[in-house]
Amino acid sequence: MKNITKKELNRIAKEYGYDPQYLEDQVLDWESDGIRVDAQDLEDYCANGDI
C-alpha cells in the first residue's frame, strides 16, 4: 500500500466497522488495477458504503 499506512488503515477499519485485512486487500486490488487510493479516499468509500 503506497499511500496508506497500516495505522491509518486500522483506524479507518475500526471507525467504520470493517476488517482491516479486508480493507488492505481492497486497496491492494485497486492499486494493482492502477487506481491510486489514499487514506482520505478510503475513509470516504467506507463512510459512503462504497466498498
Side-chain angles (χ1 to χ4, degrees):
M1 294 184 308
K2 297 175 183 143
N3 299 314
I4 302 174
T5 66
K6 286 277 195 179
K7 185 176 180 179
E8 290 172 317
L9 186 132
N10 287 332
R11 178 190 60 79
I12 292 167
K14 184 177 181 181
E15 186 172 335
Y16 293 99
Y18 286 95
D19 177 51
Q21 186 61 52
Y22 173 74
L23 291 183
E24 182 174 344
D25 291 344
Q26 279 293 141
V27 170
L28 292 172
D29 284 345
W30 290 328
E31 288 179 346
S32 72
D33 291 339
I35 301 168
R36 295 183 60 162
V37 180
D38 63 21
Q40 186 60 55
D41 293 332
L42 182 61
E43 190 162 3
D44 290 345
Y45 295 147
C46 291
N48 294 327
D50 293 335
I51 291 190

